[in-house]
Amino acid sequence: MKKLLLCSLMFLAGCASSQENTFSPDSPEGLYLMGYKEFKQTDYPKAIENFDQVEQLFPYSPWAERAQIMMAYSYYLQNEYTDALLALDRFLQLHPGNRNVPYALYLKALCYFEQMSDPLREQEMSAKADASFKELLVRFPKSVYANDAKEKLIAIKNHLAAKELAVGRYYQKNEDYIAAMNRFQSAINGWPDSNQVPEAYYRLAVCYKALGMTKQMGQVRKKLKEKFPESVWTKRANKI
């Protein structure tokens, strides 16, 4: 993932490798290249300072556009996702037609993705990551980030379904079967092709059995066998 981000940023270096000492620090080029040199040396706070100066002192320079992206990526590498998101939103608002918009959308989605919490906790960041990756795919379906975005969406889908199962298991453990069944059914309906669905079917069948609803238990077990004949959860269901 980071390799993809770095490759996409190569053009932003401009002539930094060969001419980084030829520009005055009073020029947008000079400030940018100073920041890029510090970025390469992983001195991200110093790099951010210079990139920010480019944007503040020369807001209409093409270098300011590059600096905004580099500043956002520097924040991202420091796990300062809030600041990275602010920089990206500013870039997207000011330069909606810029060729780097796909990159900005991708990095924005990653900022949310990196903040996804344990399934037992609030999933606000998961939902935002899901929406951001989907926006990228809708607007730029053929971008170089599309394949990774699709993979991330699968991971998010499984993560959100895991949240429902985690809560459902809690209710099941406490014998609150109706509440547990609602959660398991929510996982099945909300993310029908996630890797959590076989377990959701199994636990739904267990809850039906606990409530003495053997007919419904049999129907769920049949669906589980039809949809996931090789799953370990199907084998467990057959032993109910």
Side-chain angles (χ1 to χ4, degrees), residues 12 32 51-52 54-56 58-59 61-75 83-84 86-95 98 103 107:
L12 292 173
Y32 175 86
F51 293 140
D52 185 55
V54 176
E55 184 180 359
Q56 296 299 323
F58 308 97
S61 166
W63 294 93
E65 299 174 13
R66 300 183 181 191
Q68 287 174 348
I69 292 290
M70 289 299 297
M71 185 162 53
Y73 187 43
S74 298
Y75 278 128
D83 289 326
L86 287 173
L88 291 166
D89 284 338
R90 187 165 63 251
F91 173 83
L92 291 168
Q93 182 178 9
L94 294 174
H95 314 289
N98 191 281
Y103 177 88
L107 185 55

Side-chain angles (χ1 to χ4, degrees), residues 18-73:
S18 61
Q19 301 182 31
E20 58 190 17
N21 294 318
T22 63
F23 293 109
S24 164
D26 296 325
S27 69
E29 298 94 333
L31 278 174
Y32 175 86
L33 293 173
M34 287 170 60
Y36 184 75
K37 181 178 180 180
E38 288 153 349
F39 173 86
K40 288 195 299 181
Q41 295 171 347
T42 67
D43 189 349
Y44 301 126
K46 282 286 188 180
I48 289 170
E49 286 182 18
N50 281 292
F51 293 140
D52 185 55
Q53 283 295 299
V54 176
E55 184 180 359
Q56 296 299 323
L57 299 177
F58 308 97
Y60 303 109
S61 166
W63 294 93
E65 299 174 13
R66 300 183 181 191
Q68 287 174 348
I69 292 290
M70 289 299 297
M71 185 162 53
Y73 187 43

